[in-house]
């Protein structure tokens, strides 16, 4: 889609190939609002497809008329501890399975200044279509590491804050030095015991309404906003 393609261009990425429908190509050439796409498409290899064929390349709920091909960043595959930035504000995803949740959390991380995301095995693939759509371009502004061993979380040289619904200091009174890392766990089980052991501090969100827990993406947004504010 044009939103993700424009997000990549704004981050300085250069697609190796553009794929565009005939109808959209015609509109790109005449509409001033598409000037960035027009310049990019005209300057690089472009595959022009019939509208019906382009529709077959898209999923049922995503009738995009534009796509671009980008190489996966080297940091998207399993990372060695040496490749992790030990001082970058970080979001750690421990077996977060729902793609919508993962994409939303990536978008929040980018919005609130968390430059690095570590995903342990069992987390939804960060570059899958649903995560990309929910991330709305956040991928291109983050350093992403997938398949990270839980023990490697200790390579982060900063406070590592584990979220919990039943222990630790309340978020609204906690002192949160910057930078730090938030550890967010599986939707049903929360953080694994191994991930919990990597935490230096436990934090919980006050829930005066009495609910047992929050959706993990909602909790991550609250925590990262509070962390950025402090």
């Amino acid at each position: 889609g044009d939103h993700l393609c424009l997000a990549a261009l704004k981050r300085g990425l250069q697609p190796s190939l553009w794929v565009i429908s005939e109808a959209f190509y015609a509109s790109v050439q005449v509409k001033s609002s598409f000037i960035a796409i027009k310049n990019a498409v005209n300057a690089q290899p472009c595959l022009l497809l019939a509208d019906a064929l382009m529709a077959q390349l898209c999923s049922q709920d995503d009738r995009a008329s534009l796509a671009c091909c980008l190489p996966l960043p080297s940091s998207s595959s399993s990372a060695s501890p040496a490749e992790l930035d030990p001082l970058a504000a970080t979001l750690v995803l421990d077996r977060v399975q729902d793609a919508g949740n993962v994409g939303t959390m990536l978008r929040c991380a980018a919005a609130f200044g968390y430059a690095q995301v570590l995903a342990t095995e069992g987390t939804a693939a960060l570059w899958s279509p649903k995560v990309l759509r929910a991330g709305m371009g956040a991928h291109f502004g983050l350093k992403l590491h997938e398949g990270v061993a839980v023990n490697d979380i200790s390579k982060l040289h900063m406070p590592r804050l584990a979220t919990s619904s039943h222990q630790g200091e309340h978020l609204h009174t906690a002192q949160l030095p910057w930078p730090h890392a938030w550890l967010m766990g599986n939707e049903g089980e929360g953080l694994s015991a191994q991930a919990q052991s990597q935490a230096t501090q436990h934090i919980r969100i006050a829930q005066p309404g009495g609910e047992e827990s929050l959706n993990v993406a909602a909790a991550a947004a609250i925590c990262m906003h509070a962390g950025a504010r402090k």
Side-chain angles (χ1 to χ4, degrees):
D2 56 285
H3 181 90
L4 285 177
C5 291
L6 278 172
L9 287 178
K10 289 177 180 177
R11 291 289 183 176
L13 301 180
Q14 295 298 322
S16 58
L17 176 69
W18 289 92
V19 183
I20 187 169
S21 71
E22 290 178 337
F24 192 71
Y25 181 80
S27 66
V28 163
Q29 302 305 309
V30 297
K31 290 186 178 180
S32 59
S33 57
F34 289 134
I35 187 65
I37 292 178
K38 175 183 177 180
N39 292 340
V41 166
N42 290 342
Q44 294 166 301
C46 177
L47 181 63
L48 194 62
L49 296 183
D51 296 345
L53 182 56
M54 186 70 178
Q56 292 182 48
L57 295 178
C58 302
S59 61
Q60 290 296 318
D61 57 348
D62 182 17
R63 296 298 185 187
S65 299
L66 176 72
C68 63
C69 298
L70 296 164
L72 279 176
S74 58
S75 60
S76 67
S77 57
S78 297
S80 70
E83 294 174 316
L84 306 180
D85 186 341
L87 299 177
T90 299
L91 172 65
V92 179
L93 306 181
D94 179 39
R95 302 169 301 120
V96 180
Q97 296 178 325
D98 182 82
N101 282 338
V102 171
T104 299
M105 293 162 81
L106 296 188
R107 191 176 183 187
C108 290
F112 296 129
Y114 292 79
Q116 179 171 244
V117 177
L118 312 184
T120 67
E121 187 174 351
T123 298
L126 300 186
W127 290 95
S128 65
K130 288 184 178 180
V131 175
L132 269 171
R133 283 198 292 271
M136 297 291 286
H139 287 69
F140 308 124
L142 296 168
K143 189 174 184 180
L144 304 176
H145 298 285
E146 297 190 274
V148 173
V150 175
N151 288 338
D152 288 336
I153 297 172
S154 64
K155 306 297 181 182
L156 299 172
H157 300 164
M158 64 188 72
R160 299 184 292 274
L161 314 176
T163 50
S164 173
S165 59
H166 59 276
Q167 65 173 317
E169 188 175 358
H170 280 108
L171 177 63
H172 64 277
T173 60
Q175 296 299 312
L176 304 177
W178 185 270
H180 54 251
W182 283 109
L183 279 57
M184 299 287 169
N186 174 270
E187 288 86 348
E189 301 172 0
L191 288 167
S192 66
Q194 191 178 6
Q196 289 272 11
S197 70
Q198 301 297 324
T200 59
Q201 186 177 354
H202 286 78
I203 298 290
R204 54 179 166 172
I205 300 170
Q207 296 170 224
E211 291 298 323
E212 180 183 355
S213 62
L214 292 173
N215 168 271
V216 65
I222 292 169
C223 289
M224 286 189 285
H225 176 259
R229 247 181 15 91
K230 297 291 180 67

